[in-house]
Amino acid sequence: MAELSGTAAPAARPRRRQWPAEINVLIGLVVIALIFEVLGWLQPMWRSDIAAQSFLWNSQRLSIIIGQVAITGIIAVGVTQVIITGGIDLSSGSVVGATAMIAMSFAQVAMVNGNPNPKAIFGPELMDLPAIVPALVAVACGAIAGMINGALIAYTQIPPFIATLGMMVTARGVANWYSHGNPISFPTQAYTVFGSGLHPVLIFVALAVLFHLALRFTLYGTRTYAIGSNPEAARISSIKVERHLMLVYSIAGALAGVAALVLTSKNLTAQAGMGVMYELDAIAMAVIGGVSLSGGRGSILGTVLGALIFGVITSGFTFLGIDAYYQQIIKGAIIVVAVIADVARQKRRARQA
Amino acid sequence: MSDIILETRGLTKRYGGVHALEDANFTLRAGEHIAVVGDNGAGKSTFVRQITGVEQRTAGKVWFDGNEVDFAGPIEAREHGIETVFQNLALADDLDVPSNLFLGRELIRFNLGPFSILDRKAMRERTQDALTRTAVKIPNLSNTIRHMSGGQRQCVAIARAASFASKLIIMDEPTAALGVQETAQVENIIRGLKDRGIPLILISHNLRQVFDLVDRIVVFRRGRIVASLRRDETDGNDVVAYITGVKGAEAGSYA
């Protein structure tokens, strides 16, 4: 057998290690940040009211950049995992809304300035609870919504787009029904800790690191990529595809629950309209970060970089005094350009191989 | 009986009124390599699908490794030591070579349920061993297999089957989509399996290949086994005559 091996082996092409997709996203992030940096110094040329100044050399601006993407970023961590399995989650924004209402109702104080809480949902026995209670309620509500998504997709074989679209509408309905459209306010002091200062950013970073490692180094990760890559192969290889999908969607839901927790804690109130369009921002972050909508490719690190691109653009436009209307138009264009670049890159690779 | 690995008696499969497989009697002995040949629609793939539990047979019995078996699905067959290299390969394109080789039976360093930590180093080393043993050359194991050539992918699929199959490997046209060099590499792997005494059922259209590789040739025609020929006692014309029905048209079942 040893002598046979030499005769027919095809000429092994010397091949470098694959260039990780995240590098391209990082380059995009740096380029965009540098463009704003240069424009910042050139600004006085067309705006007389403003002095030349650095975009990046400003710690306050940097913390705003991260701060404003932290909450949608938490959602994007979950959505990324769903997209890697070849699915999509349109329900996360609505799940944030419903979870915000439900969690906040467990976080209320009994007395406000000596008067009974005017926004009270429950009686006094469910007020002034330790902050861990609403926190667990938030994670559990999100996880249940996600589990329903996962069960529908895994066992009824309906497309993820439809299952989560249904949840999107239903969860928004739950959010409105829960307090008949009234906001829920006056949380306990302890509850406000989740959203204060840099805590949202820390929670975002901690969850991103945790799930990045889970995707890279655990069974959970391999199976998530395998299912997104080739569900048939996964099934034949005795991976329990249905159970795994339920787990992934439950995690995505739970992360939407965490986002609702942080958001209500930060805003000190819950409203039924919270989280509208968050799902699309989260999906956009993932897509800009190189996560392929056809499944199997992408990483949390890429999504985090995509989220930072999002934050840099939003801050940069404000920095340059560009109108909010243009911001949306240009953001939309950037999403499309990111996908075009990714598709082109895949084609080029396929030709080389 | 002792050295019989696989035996079928009266194996039959009908799809509605279509008799895809009629009364197939088949025996495979330890270490034996058998080719299954026949025209398109002769029942070769149907036969394999009944053995591996991909479909449920209409009638007949199957013995594997001394016990009567009735696999509920391919996973159960796999657990009993039958590895199948499917025509569509069953690989996950976005995973690297070790992850594909160990797909569904990953090595674990730390058991945490679904979040168990993978033992990547051990999987990589054992992949390297398995590829060396099957004489497969893959330049970089940590590349995803999406951009590998058809031959390399086929080799990964076969190496995977070869490194886990303790008792029987089934290959459904493993070289159908490959070039000359790649085909030669796959054939080398098959010779290696022979040396290691692992039994094989090879479905192939390529008679040159069949005569090169196997001990016995079983011919299917119109859902029936019409001949079981020792390679040394037959030739290409003889086999073609059975495939096309010039010979053996009136015969019952063999093997």
Side-chain angles (χ1 to χ4, degrees):
Chain A
M1 191 169 147
E3 68 276 9
L4 287 171
S5 68
T7 56
R13 240 186 315 270
R15 227 170 183 307
R16 282 178 298 126
R17 244 192 93 92
Q18 280 165 10
W19 174 265
E22 289 84 2
I23 298 281
N24 292 12
V25 187
L26 183 63
I27 291 170
L29 174 63
V30 170
V31 167
I32 292 171
L34 287 179
I35 289 174
F36 282 120
E37 181 69 28
V38 171
L39 290 176
W41 291 105
L42 298 178
Q43 253 188 124
M45 291 171 70
W46 63 90
R47 285 175 77 190
S48 51
D49 56 324
I50 251 166
Q53 56 172 304
S54 170
F55 174 64
L56 294 169
W57 197 255
N58 183 330
S59 60
Q60 200 189 346
R61 181 151 37 239
L62 291 182
S63 70
I64 290 174
I65 289 175
I66 308 175
Q68 66 193 353
V69 296
I71 291 173
T72 29
I74 293 170
I75 300 172
V77 169
V79 167
T80 300
Q81 300 172 57
V82 165
I83 296 177
I84 291 172
T85 67
I88 193 89
D89 189 353
L90 297 179
S91 71
S92 22
S94 297
V95 170
V96 166
T99 306
M101 302 301 277
I102 297 169
M104 192 58 148
S105 68
F106 287 91
Q108 291 183 295
V109 289
M111 305 297 275
V112 180
N113 300 326
N115 302 311
N117 189 336
K119 302 285 186 191
I121 297 292
F122 299 121
E125 68 281 0
L126 282 177
M127 290 186 160
D128 291 320
L129 298 169
I132 186 76
V133 175
L136 290 177
V137 168
V139 174
C141 279
I144 289 168
M147 196 186 291
I148 296 171
N149 281 334
L152 284 171
I153 290 156
Y155 294 105
T156 69
Q157 316 271 309
I158 58 176
F161 185 91
I162 301 299
T164 59
L165 183 69
M167 180 56 75
M168 175 185 177
V169 177
T170 307
R172 187 62 66 194
V174 169
N176 281 308
W177 158 83
Y178 193 71
S179 63
H180 305 285
N182 295 314
I184 304 176
S185 308
F186 304 114
T188 59
Q189 191 60 41
Y191 186 75
T192 62
V193 82
F194 302 113
S196 68
L198 278 178
H199 289 173
V201 173
L202 294 179
I203 293 173
F204 168 47
V205 171
L207 289 170
V209 169
L210 180 70
F211 283 103
H212 186 80
L213 296 178
L215 283 182
R216 274 273 166 283
F217 297 110
T218 73
L219 209 51
Y220 171 80
T222 317
R223 299 197 162 165
T224 304
Y225 283 100
I227 290 171
S229 228
N230 187 345
E232 222 30 67
R235 202 162 273 131
I236 289 171
S237 310
S238 56
I239 292 175
K240 295 191 174 61
V241 176
E242 287 76 17
R243 257 173 43 189
H244 192 85
L245 284 179
M246 285 200 30
L247 180 60
V248 174
Y249 279 89
S250 301
I251 286 173
L255 287 168
V258 173
L261 173 72
V262 175
L263 183 63
T264 52
S265 168
K266 187 179 175 187
N267 292 2
L268 307 178
T269 181
Q271 287 169 1
M274 272 179 162
V276 170
M277 297 275 278
Y278 279 20
E279 65 281 347
L280 296 185
D281 279 353
I283 292 167
M285 286 171 180
V287 167
I288 290 175
V291 181
S292 162
L293 285 174
S294 52
R297 273 181 300 126
S299 72
I300 305 278
L301 177 60
T303 298
V304 170
L305 293 172
L308 289 178
I309 288 182
F310 232 71
V312 166
I313 289 171
T314 313
S315 285
F317 285 171
T318 314
F319 172 65
L320 296 178
I322 295 174
D323 209 70
Y325 303 120
Y326 297 119
Q327 293 188 18
Q328 278 200 323
I329 294 171
I330 297 175
K331 258 195 210 169
I334 286 172
I335 295 170
V336 176
V337 168
V339 177
I340 292 173
D342 186 53
V343 169
R345 180 168 156 271
Q346 289 304 320
K347 275 195 188 147
R348 200 170 57 239
R349 267 243 205 112
R351 260 204 309 278
Q352 282 169 0
Chain B
M1 182 69 201
S2 60
D3 70 334
I4 292 177
I5 297 295
L6 179 78
E7 181 170 8
T8 73
R9 287 273 157 239
L11 195 61
T12 299
K13 177 69 182 178
R14 302 191 185 99
Y15 303 100
V18 181
H19 295 209
L21 187 65
E22 263 316 293
D23 194 27
N25 299 324
F26 177 94
T27 314
L28 175 80
R29 292 175 186 283
E32 200 176 20
H33 280 197
I34 292 185
V36 168
V37 300
D39 225 335
N40 290 329
K44 313 183 294 287
S45 292
T46 308
F47 174 69
V48 167
R49 283 200 295 270
Q50 311 315 307
I51 297 173
T52 53
V54 173
E55 291 173 355
Q56 298 309 311
R57 54 188 183 254
T58 311
K61 287 184 173 177
V62 178
W63 288 265
F64 179 67
D65 204 24
N67 303 310
E68 192 176 341
V69 291
D70 189 4
F71 299 130
I75 294 164
E76 203 184 326
R78 200 176 164 197
E79 280 160 3
H80 280 77
I82 302 181
E83 285 286 332
T84 311
V85 179
F86 294 93
Q87 249 169 339
N88 56 5
L89 292 181
L91 297 172
D93 281 353
D94 299 297
L95 296 179
D96 60 11
V97 178
S99 300
N100 264 295
L101 224 72
F102 285 91
L103 194 61
R105 45 197 157 192
E106 293 83 358
L107 302 180
I108 298 301
R109 192 187 301 169
F110 231 43
N111 194 344
L112 300 167
F115 294 97
S116 297
I117 313 280
L118 298 170
D119 194 345
R120 287 202 179 276
K121 191 158 163 273
M123 289 200 283
R124 211 189 143 81
E125 284 166 7
R126 286 186 43 186
T127 301
Q128 197 63 265
D129 288 351
L131 295 182
T132 312
R133 204 162 50 234
T134 41
V136 172
K137 283 184 183 157
I138 303 279
N140 190 338
L141 292 186
S142 37
N143 279 349
T144 59
I145 64 162
R146 175 177 291 280
H147 302 299
M148 291 184 180
S149 70
Q152 288 175 332
R153 292 158 58 87
Q154 187 64 265
C155 288
V156 171
I158 293 174
R160 170 169 126 154
S163 39
F164 288 102
S166 34
K167 292 164 184 165
L168 171 61
I169 297 184
I170 299 174
M171 295 188 193
D172 194 350
E173 307 217 28
T175 60
L178 302 186
V180 176
Q181 259 192 346
E182 295 172 335
T183 299
Q185 195 184 5
V186 168
E187 289 171 354
N188 275 340
I189 296 174
I190 294 174
R191 288 189 194 97
L193 295 176
K194 179 76 188 165
D195 295 343
R196 285 161 60 196
I198 298 175
L200 171 82
I201 297 176
L202 172 72
I203 299 184
S204 181
H205 272 124
N206 182 339
L207 287 185
R208 193 271 312 154
Q209 180 177 68
V210 162
F211 274 94
D212 261 9
L213 294 174
V214 304
D215 310 307
R216 201 145 58 83
I217 299 164
V218 170
V219 186
F220 277 70
R221 177 169 164 77
R222 294 187 176 162
R224 289 179 177 278
I225 294 178
V226 292
S228 170
L229 311 158
R230 296 206 55 79
R231 181 191 61 181
D232 307 331
E233 297 162 4
T234 181
D235 58 35
N237 289 334
D238 195 33
V239 172
V240 170
Y242 279 109
I243 291 174
T244 54
V246 174
K247 276 170 94 171
E250 68 293 331
S253 55
Y254 278 73

